[in-house]
Amino acid sequence: MSTPAPDVVPATAYQAEIYLGGLAGNTPSLPTDLTRLEALAGEKLDSGPFGYVAGGAGTGATMRANRAALDEWRIVPRMLREATQRRLASTVLGTELPAPVLLAPIGVQSIVHPDGELAVAGAAASVGLPIVLSTASSYTLEEVASVAPDAPRWYQLYWPTDDEVTLSLLKRARAAGFTTLVVTLDTWTLGYRPLDLDQSYLPFLRGIGTAIPFSDPAFRAALAAAPEDDLMAAVGRWLPMFTGTALRWERLPLLRENWDGPIVLKGVQHPDDARRAVDAGMDGIVVSNHGGRQLDGAVAALDTLPGIVAEVAGRAAVLFDSGVRTGADVFKALALGADAVLLGRPYVYGLALGGQDGVRHVLRCLLTELDITLGLAGYADIAELTPDALVHRRP
């Protein structure tokens, strides 16, 4: 897979490229309305993989709440302000970003396309955005890093109960050039996910999404046979190691002592937890409810963002995910105080529909819409955004 040189922001060049292509009878192979991708992916994918990506916890109430919360905030455009040239670039935890967007950690990507995380890493590098690679990747840390060795990349940890395995994973991630550690807190045990349950579909039981632990020397050392020789024994050791045991605050020093870069805790939704994380030496927070995949009936992630920003702004980076589908969504989260936004399901749908090119299309559309939204709202620099750019439509 080839990795084109990163695009230069402003991303609106993609809009001009599309319109000019129409002169030659060319139209985009995928919709530019990213909310249409889910339905198309559902037509292409088998029910198991599609349900795993698209499904949520319980009745889906948290997923719906995420979208409703974003819709309830409306952008207030300002007129007669100079916004001809826009600046989207920012720096978050030492990572320079052409726009404050990262690709959220999503595992087992090979269930939607055989190139999986390799294609996503290539597409992200082509536009200069960082990936956050999941521990549940279909490819190893080293394989994903090799796709674009100079591209920025973060590593998401599903924290094993075995400290030797944890330390080995951290060492490998650092050696492979991953600069920031993102520790997911809200998935210490699997949520109640009816779409997966109805299909009896859990990819890990099939040895999918296990490339990182199964290639790890500390994990392999405790096995009687290599995973390639006894898959079910390896699965039987790994599953209880990363799911089923609650995480605890007192374990955080292990990470701080063994990771010399920034550490971000993902899944924080209460200001007290955010404050405690910063007091424990963490460098950032991802305000997230795992896209509604873990706890049904939970508060929308966006509704918790302002309170967490008020609690830790200036002491830690605050990132946001859950429910993001458009450039306007990114704008709203940034205006409410997020330093950056993680994009999730849309890029996976792009992967399912078009491989690396599909992911690249999704990212370029999102950046284009963000740039246009910024300008039409009357802002020249993403750093200018404050809650004054929005109005809440609920009484």
Side-chain angles (χ1 to χ4, degrees):
M1 289 173 289
S2 61
T3 302
D7 293 326
V8 177
V9 174
T12 43
Y14 192 39
Q15 179 164 276
E17 180 182 316
I18 291 173
Y19 282 136
L20 289 172
L23 298 176
N26 299 320
T27 58
S29 59
L30 295 177
T32 55
D33 175 357
L34 301 183
T35 65
R36 294 177 54 199
L37 298 178
E38 179 176 345
L40 293 175
E43 295 173 1
K44 180 172 183 177
L45 295 172
D46 290 340
S47 58
F50 177 72
Y52 187 83
V53 176
T59 65
T62 306
M63 292 174 59
R64 294 191 296 274
N66 285 336
R67 285 304 314 159
L70 283 158
D71 288 341
E72 285 163 0
W73 284 101
R74 297 300 174 91
I75 298 167
V76 183
R78 301 298 302 275
M79 297 297 116
L80 299 175
R81 293 162 57 143
E82 177 51 57
T84 306
Q85 301 294 326
R86 274 90 63 193
R87 183 179 186 274
L88 303 184
S90 64
T91 300
V92 177
L93 295 174
T95 300
E96 295 182 1
L97 306 170
V101 176
L102 301 89
L103 277 67
I106 296 179
V108 297
Q109 293 177 14
S110 64
I111 65 174
V112 305
H113 190 282
D115 293 337
E117 293 81 1
L118 302 181
V120 170
S126 76
V127 296
L129 298 181
I131 61 165
V132 185
L133 182 69
S134 172
T135 295
S137 171
S138 306
Y139 291 91
T140 68
L141 287 154
E142 296 79 8
E143 288 171 330
V144 174
S146 71
V147 170
D150 298 326
R153 51 188 174 273
W154 295 10
Y155 174 57
Q156 177 267 342
L157 180 70
Y158 281 125
W159 197 346
T161 56
D162 186 318
D163 288 350
E164 292 301 316
V165 174
T166 298
L167 297 182
S168 183
L169 294 178
L170 298 185
K171 182 179 179 181
R172 288 173 61 198
R174 273 312 243 165
F178 293 83
T179 60
T180 296
L181 181 66
V182 178
V183 186
T184 294
L185 305 181
D186 59 10
T187 314
W188 60 266
T189 195
L190 286 177
Y192 187 79
R193 303 175 185 172
L195 285 184
D196 295 341
L197 290 166
D198 291 348
Q199 301 289 328
S200 301
Y201 187 78
L202 186 63
F204 307 110
L205 292 178
R206 297 165 167 80
I208 304 171
T210 56
I212 290 176
F214 285 9
S215 63
D216 190 79
F219 179 81
R220 294 171 69 95
L223 297 174
E228 51 269 28
D229 297 325
D230 191 342
L231 175 62
M232 293 314 299
V235 168
R237 173 167 167 74
W238 174 241
L239 277 178
M241 190 181 292
F242 89 101
T243 184
T245 300
L247 302 175
R248 302 178 304 281
W249 289 103
E250 55 267 28
R251 293 190 69 201
L252 287 178
L254 177 74
L255 301 181
R256 185 70 283 171
E257 293 163 6
N258 291 279
W259 182 268
D260 60 1
I263 302 178
V264 176
L265 299 188
K266 180 176 182 289
V268 174
Q269 298 173 76
H270 195 287
D272 290 350
D273 290 342
R275 182 180 64 253
R276 188 169 182 179
V278 177
D279 289 345
M282 302 297 103
D283 303 284
I285 299 296
V286 181
V287 179
S288 166
N289 57 34
H290 217 88
R293 289 171 56 76
Q294 280 296 97
L295 179 62
D296 196 28
V299 63
L302 193 75
D303 286 344
T304 71
L305 176 62
I308 290 174
V309 170
E311 188 66 46
V312 302
R315 300 178 61 204
V318 179
L319 294 82
F320 172 80
D321 78 17
S322 297
V324 175
R325 298 292 181 270
T326 69
D329 293 340
V330 175
F331 180 103
K332 293 175 185 180
L334 296 173
L336 290 174
D339 294 300
V341 172
L342 279 65
L343 179 70
R345 288 182 176 95
Y347 83 76
V348 180
Y349 297 139
L351 175 66
L353 295 167
Q356 179 169 314
D357 289 341
V359 178
R360 178 174 160 82
H361 170 80
V362 168
L363 300 180
R364 295 190 75 190
C365 286
L366 185 86
L367 295 177
T368 296
E369 186 181 8
L370 175 60
D371 188 27
I372 292 172
T373 301
L374 185 70
L376 290 178
Y379 297 88
D381 193 322
I382 206 82
E384 298 173 358
L385 294 181
T386 70
D388 289 340
L390 306 175
V391 66
H392 202 276
R393 66 174 182 157
R394 285 190 303 191

